[in-house]
Amino acid sequence: SSRSRFAARLNSGVRTQVKISTLETSVAIPFELGPTARPIDSAPPEVQRHATQGKPWHLIAWVDEAQEIAGFCHKGSYITMPWPAARVAVGAMRPAKGRGYVALEVSSAQGPAAMVFCSSTYSEPLLQWLAANQKSISGICGCQAQVEDWGSDY
């Protein structure tokens, strides 16, 4: 599977140049990493070092082009994705009967979309932040991020 190939590359012990940046430092942007997030202590060492230099709520992004992996760290966890991505979507489902949500989804050429991070309810501040950071997110993911309207939560 593509996930096991990424894990093998991540754990191969081959160190390459990793580009790391802090995308956000505010505690006001409400989101969590997706369901495949893992504890930060299993992230690449240089990502762990960068994460421990900031605050736990900082959103840290990293790209290792040689290993074809990118990721995000937030609140003591990290998530990886294939690099470059085949599709990146910033989407929002507005509240109707449910609470709605905002999410960043990434798809690889080999598999379905994976949720990178999301809010537990619809969040206009998060949607605005994602739209304002669309260029940075596109650079991290290696693919142009598209803003999508996913309709209303029914």
Side-chain angles (χ1 to χ4, degrees), residues 63 65 70 81-88 106 134-145:
V63 177
E65 293 178 20
M81 59 195 155
W83 188 94
R87 179 180 161 275
V88 179
V106 175
Q134 187 175 359
K135 184 176 179 180
S136 295
I137 292 167
S138 296
I140 291 157
C141 296
C143 175
Q144 179 62 41

Side-chain angles (χ1 to χ4, degrees), residues 30-32 100-103 117-123 126:
F31 65 89
E32 299 297 327
Y101 66 94
V102 176
F117 51 82
C118 66
S119 61
S120 59
T121 61
Y122 179 83
S123 168
L126 177 57

